[in-house]
Amino acid sequence: MRAGLLSGVGRAWWVLVVYGVISILFGLSAIVRPAATAIAFVWAIGVMALAEGLIGVFALFDRDVRVAHGGLVVYALASIAFGLIAVLQPLVAIGALILLLAAWLLVAGVYRVVFAIRVRRHVEGEWLIALSGVLAIALGLMFAAFPLAALVAAAIWIGVGALFYGALQIVAGLNLRRRSRLL
């Protein structure tokens, strides 16, 4: 059974290698041109949101759809609105998302510091929780003050992650090829 499965999957080793190469190319693009990559991300997400919104609108007129119409209207309109903003004004969408992230980091940071103070008698190393809160606050303030830098940093980290993912996919594909040839 195992040899049969490995032999069948082994014939598709090249798919993993192709995924790996695409991921590495994407990672390099994100590192070399982080702003352009981020804009492309937001644009692609905007297109998907528009498609979802339009599907939601069509579902409103389908008698077989058993979903509350009020919720579906809100979902469809929100998807279309975000999709239009992301496609027509991707920098506005990126700015809004970074500011939301900054706000979340600030709230999360304050919560962590307060939590660390409250549990300090019961938890060893609570200072690490407080430190993570202080770092989250600092990052939130930096994101709010320098949203473009935050965008570039996020795109670069995504690029680095894509490089690692791509390398792992290539290694896995080549390993699968080698193992399937041994059968």
Side-chain angles (χ1 to χ4, degrees), residues 109 112-114 116-117 125-137:
R112 288 180 196 154
V113 170
V114 169
I117 291 169
E126 80 287 348
W127 67 272
L128 291 170
I129 299 169
L131 179 61
S132 75
V134 170
L135 292 174
I137 292 168

Side-chain angles (χ1 to χ4, degrees), residues 1-11 176 179-183:
M1 166 83 176
R2 182 176 170 201
L5 176 65
L6 186 58
S7 174
V9 173
R11 287 190 297 263
L176 187 58
R179 289 181 181 260
S180 67
R181 283 188 172 177
L182 295 175
L183 296 179

Side-chain angles (χ1 to χ4, degrees), residues 78-146:
S79 295
I80 290 170
F82 174 76
L84 286 172
I85 291 169
V87 169
L88 299 175
Q89 296 290 326
L91 291 176
V92 170
I94 289 170
L97 292 173
I98 288 175
L99 290 177
L100 282 172
L101 177 59
W104 174 76
L105 284 166
L106 291 170
V107 170
V110 169
Y111 174 78
R112 288 180 196 154
V113 170
V114 169
F115 179 76
I117 291 169
R118 287 188 176 169
V119 300
R120 72 179 178 265
R121 291 187 184 125
H122 308 289
V123 176
E124 278 188 48
E126 80 287 348
W127 67 272
L128 291 170
I129 299 169
L131 179 61
S132 75
V134 170
L135 292 174
I137 292 168
L139 192 59
L141 291 172
M142 287 190 313
F143 277 22
F146 307 104

Side-chain angles (χ1 to χ4, degrees), residues 13 16-17 169-179:
W13 65 270
L16 292 176
V17 172
Q169 290 295 305
I170 290 172
V171 169
L174 295 176
N175 189 26
L176 187 58
R177 178 180 181 219
R178 183 180 55 79
R179 289 181 181 260

